[in-house]
Amino acid sequence: MSEDAGIEVVVARRVTVADDVLEIELHPGEGTALPEWQAGAHIDVVTGDGLVRQYSLCGDPEDLRAYRVAVLHQPQGRGGSAWLHNELRAGDRLTIRGPRNHFPLEDASGYVFLAGGIGVTPLLPMIRQAAARAVPWALHYGGRSRTSMAYADDLQASAPAHVHLVPFDELGLIDLEAAVAAAPPDSLVYCCGPEPLLAAAESVCSSRGLRLRTERFSPGQAASSTVDRAFTVRIASTGAELTVPADRTIVDVLAEAGIDVLTSCEEGTCGTCETVVLKGRPDHRDSVLSAEEQQAGDRMIICVSRSHTPRLVFDL
């Protein structure tokens, strides 16, 4: 995995905001500044054991004195959240990268926000932005229980007419049909959470012809008919041509050839390795680019995606 220098930040505050959810406030280190960001953006956080994990920014984009992220403790995960929960302390220094945004808030006449668990975090700045614009919006927020739902009380207290909390142990699953049926015409639906919620939202929105934007925590499922074939990658700046075998990724082949490409998740969910495509037709297998972006074919996520054509030409 390629690394860049990143930005050094200081842990200013840690506070529990729900069962197993820790909010971490990050301030710029001495002589550094926090880059601007927009609703939907995330940062890479380099943990003490070298793991790199992505967390959505959930604070105020207008306040560049601090970044805020909320981290769900996942004991069965790969260790990043456990380190942040158990080892990180106020005053510690961290390296972050970004922000990056593959989940921006687009203009619309109204919004329906669908959140599952920690998936509420990227939606918080969007909700504030929609409210500030006086655009109609509604949040349908599900979780295991009320105590597991970060920011739930604050959200409901601030906008009770717009916020619908759906704790599973009290009310079951979010009624997605009812949620989207109540939306104004031409509304845009934003959904973030576990895969079952995303899949259900895609089905409901497709049947109603509604526009949907999603952000995934885990990679989507490849079609069962997918067949991996070898293809060639050409580097436009040098003319070098590299063969990508059927059993290897583009990122692996580039790294072996000494071509430095920044990567992080290596499963098509973070967008770090997004690369401009000059020629050829990508076989998109990521969970980052929208359907429209994939259809355009002028960029791809090279840690998982492949090629429909014998050769791709990259702007590298």
Side-chain angles (χ1 to χ4, degrees), residues 67-86:
Y67 283 167
R68 290 183 178 86
V69 297
V71 180
L72 173 65
H73 188 195
Q74 297 177 297
Q76 306 307 314
R78 290 180 287 179
S81 69
W83 187 88
L84 291 168
H85 272 254
N86 300 330

mmCIF file of all heavy atoms in Angstrom, residues 67-86:
data_model
loop_
_atom_site.group_PDB
_atom_site.id
_atom_site.type_symbol
_atom_site.label_atom_id
_atom_site.label_comp_id
_atom_site.label_asym_id
_atom_site.label_seq_id
_atom_site.Cartn_x
_atom_site.Cartn_y
_atom_site.Cartn_z
ATOM 1 N N TYR A 67 -12.143 18.698 13.224
ATOM 2 C CA TYR A 67 -12.872 17.638 12.540
ATOM 3 C C TYR A 67 -13.505 16.753 13.619
ATOM 4 O O TYR A 67 -12.910 16.551 14.686
ATOM 5 C CB TYR A 67 -11.939 16.755 11.713
ATOM 6 C CG TYR A 67 -11.468 17.321 10.391
ATOM 7 C CD1 TYR A 67 -10.411 16.706 9.720
ATOM 8 C CD2 TYR A 67 -12.071 18.422 9.793
ATOM 9 C CE1 TYR A 67 -9.966 17.177 8.499
ATOM 10 C CE2 TYR A 67 -11.624 18.904 8.570
ATOM 11 C CZ TYR A 67 -10.571 18.278 7.925
ATOM 12 O OH TYR A 67 -10.131 18.750 6.715
ATOM 13 N N ARG A 68 -14.680 16.205 13.305
ATOM 14 C CA ARG A 68 -15.306 15.247 14.216
ATOM 15 C C ARG A 68 -15.664 13.987 13.448
ATOM 16 O O ARG A 68 -16.218 14.052 12.349
ATOM 17 C CB ARG A 68 -16.555 15.837 14.862
ATOM 18 C CG ARG A 68 -16.270 16.942 15.868
ATOM 19 C CD ARG A 68 -17.550 17.441 16.540
ATOM 20 N NE ARG A 68 -17.254 18.454 17.531
ATOM 21 C CZ ARG A 68 -17.128 19.762 17.264
ATOM 22 N NH1 ARG A 68 -17.274 20.178 16.013
ATOM 23 N NH2 ARG A 68 -16.852 20.618 18.222
ATOM 24 N N VAL A 69 -15.342 12.852 14.024
ATOM 25 C CA VAL A 69 -15.742 11.562 13.478
ATOM 26 C C VAL A 69 -16.348 10.735 14.608
ATOM 27 O O VAL A 69 -16.036 10.953 15.782
ATOM 28 C CB VAL A 69 -14.556 10.794 12.848
ATOM 29 C CG1 VAL A 69 -13.984 11.549 11.659
ATOM 30 C CG2 VAL A 69 -13.474 10.511 13.883
ATOM 31 N N ALA A 70 -17.219 9.817 14.257
ATOM 32 C CA ALA A 70 -17.809 8.901 15.239
ATOM 33 C C ALA A 70 -17.440 7.482 14.826
ATOM 34 O O ALA A 70 -17.651 7.081 13.677
ATOM 35 C CB ALA A 70 -19.326 9.065 15.308
ATOM 36 N N VAL A 71 -16.895 6.729 15.766
ATOM 37 C CA VAL A 71 -16.337 5.411 15.476
ATOM 38 C C VAL A 71 -17.099 4.344 16.240
ATOM 39 O O VAL A 71 -17.189 4.380 17.472
ATOM 40 C CB VAL A 71 -14.842 5.358 15.871
ATOM 41 C CG1 VAL A 71 -14.261 3.973 15.567
ATOM 42 C CG2 VAL A 71 -14.054 6.449 15.146
ATOM 43 N N LEU A 72 -17.661 3.395 15.499
ATOM 44 C CA LEU A 72 -18.328 2.243 16.113
ATOM 45 C C LEU A 72 -17.297 1.189 16.466
ATOM 46 O O LEU A 72 -16.486 0.788 15.620
ATOM 47 C CB LEU A 72 -19.356 1.660 15.139
ATOM 48 C CG LEU A 72 -20.027 0.353 15.557
ATOM 49 C CD1 LEU A 72 -20.890 0.555 16.798
ATOM 50 C CD2 LEU A 72 -20.854 -0.217 14.402
ATOM 51 N N HIS A 73 -17.313 0.732 17.708
ATOM 52 C CA HIS A 73 -16.394 -0.330 18.129
ATOM 53 C C HIS A 73 -16.870 -1.650 17.539
ATOM 54 O O HIS A 73 -17.987 -2.108 17.801
ATOM 55 C CB HIS A 73 -16.378 -0.423 19.658
ATOM 56 C CG HIS A 73 -15.322 -1.342 20.172
ATOM 57 N ND1 HIS A 73 -15.300 -1.821 21.456
ATOM 58 C CD2 HIS A 73 -14.226 -1.887 19.572
ATOM 59 C CE1 HIS A 73 -14.251 -2.605 21.629
ATOM 60 N NE2 HIS A 73 -13.587 -2.657 20.488
ATOM 61 N N GLN A 74 -16.020 -2.259 16.719
ATOM 62 C CA GLN A 74 -16.347 -3.522 16.061
ATOM 63 C C GLN A 74 -15.326 -4.576 16.478
ATOM 64 O O GLN A 74 -14.286 -4.736 15.834
ATOM 65 C CB GLN A 74 -16.355 -3.336 14.538
ATOM 66 C CG GLN A 74 -17.419 -2.362 14.068
ATOM 67 C CD GLN A 74 -17.369 -2.134 12.570
ATOM 68 O OE1 GLN A 74 -16.381 -1.631 12.037
ATOM 69 N NE2 GLN A 74 -18.425 -2.520 11.888
ATOM 70 N N PRO A 75 -15.598 -5.297 17.560
ATOM 71 C CA PRO A 75 -14.634 -6.282 18.068
ATOM 72 C C PRO A 75 -14.253 -7.346 17.057
ATOM 73 O O PRO A 75 -13.154 -7.903 17.103
ATOM 74 C CB PRO A 75 -15.363 -6.891 19.272
ATOM 75 C CG PRO A 75 -16.364 -5.865 19.680
ATOM 76 C CD PRO A 75 -16.799 -5.210 18.406
ATOM 77 N N GLN A 76 -15.161 -7.647 16.118
ATOM 78 C CA GLN A 76 -14.880 -8.675 15.120
ATOM 79 C C GLN A 76 -14.283 -8.091 13.847
ATOM 80 O O GLN A 76 -14.140 -8.802 12.853
ATOM 81 C CB GLN A 76 -16.179 -9.432 14.773
ATOM 82 C CG GLN A 76 -16.906 -10.018 15.972
ATOM 83 C CD GLN A 76 -16.008 -10.882 16.823
ATOM 84 O OE1 GLN A 76 -15.263 -11.714 16.303
ATOM 85 N NE2 GLN A 76 -16.083 -10.700 18.140
ATOM 86 N N GLY A 77 -13.949 -6.790 13.876
ATOM 87 C CA GLY A 77 -13.362 -6.154 12.698
ATOM 88 C C GLY A 77 -11.878 -6.437 12.594
ATOM 89 O O GLY A 77 -11.344 -7.368 13.216
ATOM 90 N N ARG A 78 -11.183 -5.582 11.840
ATOM 91 C CA ARG A 78 -9.762 -5.808 11.569
ATOM 92 C C ARG A 78 -8.845 -5.049 12.530
ATOM 93 O O ARG A 78 -7.639 -5.018 12.345
ATOM 94 C CB ARG A 78 -9.452 -5.436 10.119
ATOM 95 C CG ARG A 78 -10.070 -6.408 9.117
ATOM 96 C CD ARG A 78 -9.756 -6.024 7.689
ATOM 97 N NE ARG A 78 -10.511 -4.848 7.270
ATOM 98 C CZ ARG A 78 -10.392 -4.292 6.061
ATOM 99 N NH1 ARG A 78 -9.533 -4.784 5.185
ATOM 100 N NH2 ARG A 78 -11.116 -3.233 5.735
ATOM 101 N N GLY A 79 -9.411 -4.441 13.559
ATOM 102 C CA GLY A 79 -8.580 -3.869 14.613
ATOM 103 C C GLY A 79 -8.537 -2.360 14.691
ATOM 104 O O GLY A 79 -8.124 -1.807 15.713
ATOM 105 N N GLY A 80 -8.941 -1.658 13.632
ATOM 106 C CA GLY A 80 -8.847 -0.202 13.638
ATOM 107 C C GLY A 80 -9.733 0.442 14.681
ATOM 108 O O GLY A 80 -9.293 1.297 15.459
ATOM 109 N N SER A 81 -11.000 0.038 14.735
ATOM 110 C CA SER A 81 -11.917 0.652 15.695
ATOM 111 C C SER A 81 -11.543 0.283 17.122
ATOM 112 O O SER A 81 -11.679 1.100 18.046
ATOM 113 C CB SER A 81 -13.360 0.240 15.399
ATOM 114 O OG SER A 81 -13.577 -1.133 15.665
ATOM 115 N N ALA A 82 -11.072 -0.928 17.340
ATOM 116 C CA ALA A 82 -10.654 -1.338 18.690
ATOM 117 C C ALA A 82 -9.500 -0.480 19.180
ATOM 118 O O ALA A 82 -9.474 -0.059 20.344
ATOM 119 C CB ALA A 82 -10.269 -2.814 18.691
ATOM 120 N N TRP A 83 -8.542 -0.186 18.300
ATOM 121 C CA TRP A 83 -7.407 0.642 18.694
ATOM 122 C C TRP A 83 -7.867 2.054 19.045
ATOM 123 O O TRP A 83 -7.440 2.631 20.053
ATOM 124 C CB TRP A 83 -6.371 0.693 17.573
ATOM 125 C CG TRP A 83 -5.108 1.387 17.974
ATOM 126 C CD1 TRP A 83 -4.007 0.841 18.570
ATOM 127 C CD2 TRP A 83 -4.822 2.790 17.812
ATOM 128 N NE1 TRP A 83 -3.056 1.809 18.795
ATOM 129 C CE2 TRP A 83 -3.527 3.012 18.345
ATOM 130 C CE3 TRP A 83 -5.536 3.866 17.273
ATOM 131 C CZ2 TRP A 83 -2.936 4.272 18.350
ATOM 132 C CZ3 TRP A 83 -4.938 5.124 17.285
ATOM 133 C CH2 TRP A 83 -3.659 5.309 17.808
ATOM 134 N N LEU A 84 -8.755 2.612 18.222
ATOM 135 C CA LEU A 84 -9.235 3.966 18.481
ATOM 136 C C LEU A 84 -10.024 4.037 19.782
ATOM 137 O O LEU A 84 -9.932 5.019 20.530
ATOM 138 C CB LEU A 84 -10.094 4.445 17.311
ATOM 139 C CG LEU A 84 -9.334 4.690 16.000
ATOM 140 C CD1 LEU A 84 -10.294 4.872 14.843
ATOM 141 C CD2 LEU A 84 -8.428 5.913 16.122
ATOM 142 N N HIS A 85 -10.795 2.999 20.075
ATOM 143 C CA HIS A 85 -11.585 2.981 21.316
ATOM 144 C C HIS A 85 -10.721 2.719 22.541
ATOM 145 O O HIS A 85 -10.898 3.371 23.582
ATOM 146 C CB HIS A 85 -12.674 1.904 21.222
ATOM 147 C CG HIS A 85 -13.951 2.385 20.612
ATOM 148 N ND1 HIS A 85 -15.084 2.634 21.336
ATOM 149 C CD2 HIS A 85 -14.263 2.666 19.325
ATOM 150 C CE1 HIS A 85 -16.052 3.054 20.535
ATOM 151 N NE2 HIS A 85 -15.579 3.073 19.300
ATOM 152 N N ASN A 86 -9.794 1.793 22.423
ATOM 153 C CA ASN A 86 -9.092 1.304 23.615
ATOM 154 C C ASN A 86 -7.737 1.938 23.875
ATOM 155 O O ASN A 86 -7.276 1.974 25.021
ATOM 156 C CB ASN A 86 -8.908 -0.214 23.514
ATOM 157 C CG ASN A 86 -10.223 -0.954 23.421
ATOM 158 O OD1 ASN A 86 -11.242 -0.505 23.948
ATOM 159 N ND2 ASN A 86 -10.217 -2.094 22.732
#
